Amino acid sequence: MKQKFCILCGALLPSNRHGNAQTCSPEHALLLKKQREQTNYNLLRNTSLSVLETNRTLKLLSHEFGYGVAIPAEEFLNYNFQWEVTTGNFDKDGLAGVVVGDHAYILFTEHKLKIYKND
């Protein structure tokens, strides 16, 4: 049988631990679970904050320029727009766009964007 070691303290796993165990004791198993939960929470929190911030920028620009109006891409750069943030895709008049929260935008080849309210 292959020897397994605790991923928290490096101790040899006792023979009475179940086959999928990664820790040497129930206490270490609980600590490992808390670490996983904290990591997942931080990932979710950071992701949701960037979505909220990007959605807020889209809302601000839509109030300034209007929905469905071609806006120069430079305006988005002035707000440090996070292009990689997305919550989905959408299709408007045969053109593919990006959804961020309750707003969406389409990037055109002439470096202009149109913002839409995502229904």
Side-chain angles (χ1 to χ4, degrees):
M1 184 169 141
K2 183 178 175 187
Q3 291 185 342
K4 292 172 67 176
F5 297 92
C6 178
I7 62 173
L8 291 180
C9 69
L12 183 63
L13 265 62
S15 59
N16 63 349
R17 295 289 286 161
H18 61 83
N20 293 331
Q22 296 180 316
T23 56
C24 61
S25 66
E27 292 81 18
H28 277 188
L30 184 59
L31 287 173
L32 183 61
K33 181 180 179 183
K34 286 182 179 183
Q35 285 178 358
R36 281 194 313 265
E37 288 174 350
Q38 185 67 40
T39 301
N40 290 338
Y41 170 78
N42 288 336
L43 177 64
L44 182 62
R45 183 175 182 271
N46 292 339
T47 302
S48 63
L49 286 177
S50 61
V51 168
L52 289 173
E53 182 180 321
T54 305
N55 189 45
R56 193 174 301 125
T57 301
L58 288 170
K59 184 176 182 179
L60 179 70
L61 287 169
S62 67
H63 284 335
E64 185 176 337
F65 292 95
Y67 289 108
V69 176
I71 303 170
E74 293 79 31
E75 291 294 329
F76 287 79
L77 297 176
N78 291 338
Y79 289 95
N80 293 325
F81 190 75
Q82 298 178 31
W83 301 100
E84 68 278 359
V85 175
T86 178
T87 58
N89 298 314
F90 84 114
D91 192 43
K92 177 86 169 175
D93 301 328
L95 298 171
V98 177
V99 176
V100 180
D102 62 349
H103 285 80
Y105 65 91
I106 297 175
L107 178 61
F108 294 94
T109 56
E110 57 272 4
H111 299 291
K112 294 190 183 279
L113 290 93
K114 288 185 180 180
I115 300 174
Y116 300 95
K117 185 73 172 167
N118 187 31
D119 298 325

